[in-house]
Amino acid sequence: AWDLAFHTIALAAVDVDFAKQQLDLLLLGLYLHPTGQIPAYEWNFSDVNPPVHGWGTIFLYRTEQALRGKTDLEFLKRIFGKLSANFGWWVNRKDRDGRNLYEGGFLGLDNIGVFDRSAPLPTGGYLEQADGTAWVALYSQNMLEIAVELAANDPAYEELATNVGMQFLLIGRAMNGIGPDGMWDQEDGFYYDVLRLPDGSATRLKVRSMVGLLPLCATTVVEKWQRERVPTLAARLYERWGRMPELRESIHATGPGQFGVAERGILALVNEDRLRRILSRMLDENEFLSPYGIRALSRYHAEHPYVFNVGGQEYRVNYLPAESDTGMFGGNSNWRGPIWMPVNALLIRALMQYYLYYGDNFRIECPTGSGNSMNLFEVAREIANRLTRIFLRDQNGRRPVFGGAEKFQSDPYWRDHLLFYEYFHGDNGAGIGASHQTGWTGLVAPLIEIFGHLDAQTYLEAGRAAAFERV
């Protein structure tokens, strides 16, 4: 299900109507459960995929708006109604104790964890997942943006928008809580899953993985013109948030008095200080930053495997830049080192959102330790260029994607027929897994397009709409 949402982003470049139809597919009554659950995948409908349909919806809506100069409000209304059921399912079914901290199991990241996250834990108890909670926070932002767009044409949506906005604040407060059993580790400067044990105690599982980077993705800029379209709603949200300053203080500074460039607001789980600390790891070539994008697991774990002992058994997480070395999920998927296009695309989106808010007021070393200072647009472009490099010929005329496959590297009848693999080697960029995963690996196309026509200053001045323009 989550693959399909990413497919629609790539499809939108050539056929936005077909992309919208595909996004709608799993939300049809034929597939959407009456509880609001979206089926996950063919061998287990009841498992859980990351809730990215809300993001796909607003992306397609903005794409069509840019392409055709008009909006499809009927599409937005229809999808919003179905997504509301799914959002309610997440809030009511995956928040075990009503604490606004979410589970979900493997959540598309297969063997990224210490344990099989879709099976009973060997310790007993349960996991509060940094990635699950971050996904729902992003979902809240997506639903709020959709509701605001609808409320500008129909005030009946204002109350729904207010409720979703409050949900985001509650998640932010829960996820960013400081303490020994919180997800944020102040010493490491990173987010971790929390293992809740049957005796009531808790421990962080200190694996530096994509799980701890995904909170960055729950970031959405609010343009001044968006607020001006719904002044009553904006006032209501600010009034509601003002009653609970402890909630607002737990997320990135936002609201009147905290606007960024061009009076932009921002909804983000990660504040400025934590953003710097996380990025210092994410942009470290000895950790997450590969020559070909962001790795799913820090290379730190090559020399320092994470080890957890329970019941006389040892559980390990090693850095594995290529295929998995375990039988988990059939042994055919690996999130312990390779580069995956969909999460890279969402991290780039987050950096672009932060840039619209900060402009040149936020700069950071990229790569970490290089002495090379970049703004966040430049960081996003650098990551996109590294992802693109997977498919381009290097100085020796070889494409990293084809690795050691000489037929594809040198045969004139094959060398220009690119394959879009499921994921890529974390150190050399070689394609791994399914070779025709064109859908979400096809996200490289909109990345090439966006950074091919967009420069930092134009983007900062024109705002989010500039990313959807075609040249």
Side-chain angles (χ1 to χ4, degrees):
W2 79 308
D3 302 46
L4 186 60
F6 286 110
H7 294 182
T8 66
I9 307 303
L11 286 168
V14 290
D15 191 339
V16 72
D17 294 309
F18 182 59
K20 286 160 61 181
Q21 180 189 27
Q22 288 294 295
L23 187 65
D24 209 8
L25 184 63
L26 292 181
L27 299 175
L28 296 175
L30 185 63
Y31 304 115
L32 186 69
H33 194 276
T35 61
Q37 183 177 11
I38 296 174
Y41 40 77
E42 65 272 26
W43 63 89
N44 187 354
F45 290 170
S46 295
D47 217 327
V48 186
N49 273 186
V52 289
H53 281 69
W55 172 65
T57 298
I58 197 66
F59 189 99
L60 293 185
Y61 178 80
R62 298 294 182 205
T63 298
E64 183 173 24
Q65 187 177 28
L67 286 173
R68 296 173 175 167
K70 62 179 183 179
T71 58
D72 188 350
L73 281 174
E74 289 307 311
F75 163 75
L76 207 59
K77 286 180 183 177
R78 184 176 70 253
I79 295 287
F80 183 74
K82 298 171 182 179
L83 290 178
S84 294
N86 180 245
F87 185 76
W89 178 85
W90 269 94
V91 170
N92 294 316
R93 298 293 184 94
K94 291 299 169 183
D95 177 12
R96 181 184 300 253
D97 294 325
R99 299 174 60 234
N100 301 291
L101 296 169
Y102 293 87
E103 302 168 58
F106 87 99
L107 279 174
L109 306 188
D110 298 5
N111 60 349
I112 202 166
V114 184
F115 315 114
D116 180 344
R117 301 196 300 175
S118 290
L121 300 177
T123 59
Y126 62 94
L127 279 178
E128 290 172 344
Q129 295 177 219
D131 56 337
T133 306
W135 286 123
V136 181
L138 175 61
Y139 200 1
S140 300
Q141 294 170 8
N142 302 146
M143 292 294 282
L144 177 58
E145 185 169 0
I146 296 170
V148 164
E149 189 70 20
L150 294 173
N153 296 276
D154 184 350
Y157 287 92
E158 288 189 359
E159 190 61 40
L160 286 170
T162 305
N163 291 342
V164 175
M166 284 303 302
Q167 189 65 51
F168 169 70
L169 276 188
L170 292 169
I171 293 170
R173 172 66 171 176
M175 186 166 195
N176 286 319
I178 303 256
D181 59 351
M183 290 181 175
W184 174 255
D185 190 288
Q186 187 65 18
E187 182 180 353
D188 290 0
F190 209 71
Y191 288 98
Y192 298 117
D193 284 348
V194 173
L195 175 62
R196 297 276 172 189
L197 298 169
D199 65 3
S201 63
T203 185
R204 296 190 192 104
L205 299 179
K206 293 193 175 188
V207 182
R208 295 183 200 165
S209 75
M210 187 60 66
V211 165
L213 296 181
L214 282 168
L216 292 178
C217 297
T219 305
T220 301
V221 156
V222 181
E223 298 279 4
K224 181 181 179 183
W225 61 262
Q226 289 178 296
R227 298 195 304 272
E228 289 176 341
R229 292 185 71 199
V230 286
T232 304
L233 171 58
R236 179 186 295 177
L237 275 169
Y238 293 143
E239 188 274 335
R240 183 83 63 89
W241 293 355
R243 293 183 193 175
M244 291 168 279
E246 73 281 3
L247 297 185
R248 195 171 63 184
E249 289 165 5
S250 65
I251 60 172
H252 192 290
T254 192
Q258 301 288 350
F259 292 138
V261 174
E263 295 185 56
R264 293 184 179 111
I266 190 170
L267 298 176
L269 279 180
V270 180
N271 65 25
E272 182 176 357
D273 176 64
R274 293 184 182 186
L275 176 61
R276 288 192 179 279
R277 298 194 68 190
I278 295 171
L279 288 183
S280 69
R281 292 199 186 280
M282 190 178 97
L283 302 178
D284 187 337
E285 292 182 313
N286 295 313
E287 291 217 29
F288 287 98
L289 184 61
S290 160
Y292 305 99
I294 303 297
R295 302 174 172 107
L297 185 77
S298 171
R299 207 174 187 284
Y300 168 84
H301 291 301
E303 290 78 34
H304 306 90
Y306 181 79
V307 179
F308 191 92
N309 291 288
V310 60
Q313 188 169 349
E314 181 181 271
Y315 295 84
R316 298 171 65 89
V317 175
N318 297 75
Y319 173 73
L320 301 167
E323 288 87 353
S324 173
D325 65 352
T326 75
M328 196 184 295
F329 295 94
N332 66 346
S333 187
N334 188 19
W335 285 82
R336 294 185 174 182
I339 295 146
W340 292 78
M341 195 66 68
V343 286
N344 268 262
L346 283 176
L347 288 169
I348 288 170
R349 171 198 172 272
L351 292 169
M352 298 278 280
Q353 299 285 315
Y354 275 116
Y355 175 71
L356 284 179
Y357 180 83
Y358 284 112
D360 277 327
N361 296 319
F362 187 108
R363 301 185 70 86
I364 196 161
E365 271 190 317
C366 181
T368 299
S370 67
N372 186 26
S373 173
M374 292 187 184
N375 63 38
L376 295 180
F377 181 94
E378 292 165 337
V379 173
R381 183 174 59 198
E382 175 65 21
I383 296 170
N385 287 343
R386 290 179 183 228
L387 293 167
T388 305
R389 192 182 299 159
I390 291 171
F391 302 97
L392 300 178
R393 288 200 188 99
D394 62 18
Q395 64 273 22
N396 300 313
R398 298 174 70 84
R399 300 183 195 271
V401 63
F402 288 141
E406 287 304 321
K407 170 68 74 173
F408 291 149
Q409 290 287 14
S410 54
D411 190 315
Y413 296 105
W414 290 97
R415 66 187 182 191
D416 294 327
H417 294 281
L418 298 182
L419 296 175
F420 292 81
Y421 287 85
E422 198 173 359
Y423 50 103
F424 302 89
H425 194 292
D427 294 334
N428 63 34
I432 309 170
S435 62
H436 290 65
Q437 193 76 5
T438 314
W440 71 10
T441 296
L443 286 167
V444 72
L447 291 178
I448 292 170
E449 184 177 48
I450 288 169
F451 290 102
H453 82 257
L454 195 59
D455 63 84
Q457 192 59 37
T458 300
Y459 184 55
L460 193 62
E461 291 173 0
R464 293 169 57 189
F468 295 93
E469 293 175 356
R470 300 291 193 269
V471 293

